[in-house]
Amino acid sequence: MRIFVTGATGFVGVRLLRSLEGSEYEIRVLSRQPHPDYETVVCDLSQEQIPVSALEQIDTIFHLAGYAHDLRDPTKVKHLYRTVNVDATVQLAKLAAQHAVKSFVYVSSVKASGSAIACRCMTEEDRGEPEGIYGNTKLEAELKLLEISHQSSMHVSIVRPSLAYGPGVKGNLRMILSGIEKGWFPPLPEVGNRRSMIHVDDLVQALLLVSVDDRANGKIFIATDGVPHSSREIYVAMCHVLDKSVPQWNIPRFLLEWVSLLSPRIRYKVEKLLGDECYSSAKLEGLGFRAERGLKDWTI
């Protein structure tokens, strides 16, 4: 089998390639720079079209590349979100169908389903207003992919990961880890909220599963480790990851709520930190998926 991977140098891509090491698969990657270990199609999705020849003799595609975590005003980089998350995804899928690629797995985001619903875990059937430009472009890409799936014989599966953690984690979790390590991120209180997460290696297994299971064709799946975690539990796990002792005190919840009154931006961050973001992966578990790792297995 010949596999094509985009986003191969990213957090999930690195672990996917590691899981495929030593297998009989032939691997080709798409990257802005030549990969030291794999045949590379050099292409910057934010500026270039994917070469027509990129998918020759490819059987399975894992499309992990995406545009996220931009700290600038989203409206100023809206074109980048659209170019990478929507246009490049659609072009890749159309090329895949033309080259008779058998399976196309797209890594989307739970942000595509809208803001989390308090007091219950969201499923694939919940449809709210996608969260920000990132969520909107991910949803738009999903819908266009499903159209292509219906118009071709290509197996298309979409996975919406919850917050992924593990070796080499990036984004907000990396920032919080850095804050704890440097001593400026405060010990969080236990507020009993529920947040869904998944270890990156379990996410990789989910991607491999949906790529070969016929029941996954044309479907969207949420991926979690099946055990919601409170923000305090995540904080404690991060201390253990860093081999730091857990402080014997925590910042009072009322103080965080008081600080949140200073501005809408701070309020948003406090709500994201202490609120619920719970999702159900029951649909994925129906295919036989079982997460094998938990927060205790998180390593640097």
Side-chain angles (χ1 to χ4, degrees), residues 106-211:
Y106 176 55
V107 177
S108 183
S109 168
V110 290
K111 304 297 183 186
S113 60
S115 298
I117 300 173
C119 302
R120 75 176 180 87
C121 295
M122 295 176 68
T123 72
E124 295 83 357
E125 304 305 313
D126 290 307
R127 295 181 178 87
E129 180 63 28
E131 198 167 321
I133 294 175
Y134 177 68
N136 272 285
T137 52
K138 282 294 189 178
L139 177 61
E140 186 174 347
E142 288 183 2
L143 296 176
K144 291 183 181 296
L145 280 178
L146 293 177
E147 287 180 13
I148 294 171
S149 171
H150 295 150
Q151 296 166 2
S152 70
S153 60
M154 184 169 63
H155 173 119
V156 176
S157 299
I158 297 168
V159 176
R160 293 174 175 172
S162 54
L163 189 60
Y165 62 94
V169 70
K170 299 179 180 180
N172 290 333
L173 289 180
R174 177 70 261 174
M175 181 183 68
I176 295 173
L177 277 170
S178 178
I180 294 173
E181 187 172 30
K182 295 176 181 178
W184 59 259
F185 192 88
L188 296 177
E190 180 58 76
V191 298
N193 64 326
R194 299 193 301 166
R195 304 184 67 86
S196 292
M197 303 181 73
I198 186 168
H199 191 283
V200 62
D201 290 339
D202 282 324
L203 174 56
V204 164
Q205 294 309 308
L207 300 180
L208 295 173
L209 172 63
V210 301
S211 72

Side-chain angles (χ1 to χ4, degrees), residues 1 6 16 23 33 57 102 120 163 169 179 181 183 188 205 222 250 253 275 284 299:
M1 182 181 291
T6 73
L16 172 61
S23 68
Q33 301 292 333
Q57 299 183 315
K102 297 174 183 176
R120 75 176 180 87
L163 189 60
V169 70
E181 187 172 30
L188 296 177
Q205 294 309 308
I222 292 172
N250 59 259
R253 179 173 184 171
L284 183 60
T299 59

Side-chain angles (χ1 to χ4, degrees), residues 253-271:
R253 179 173 184 171
F254 77 84
L255 184 57
L256 289 170
E257 292 175 342
W258 179 82
V259 171
S260 71
L261 299 176
L262 297 177
S263 75
R265 184 172 181 176
I266 295 177
R267 184 183 311 116
Y268 172 79
K269 290 184 176 181
V270 170
E271 289 175 352

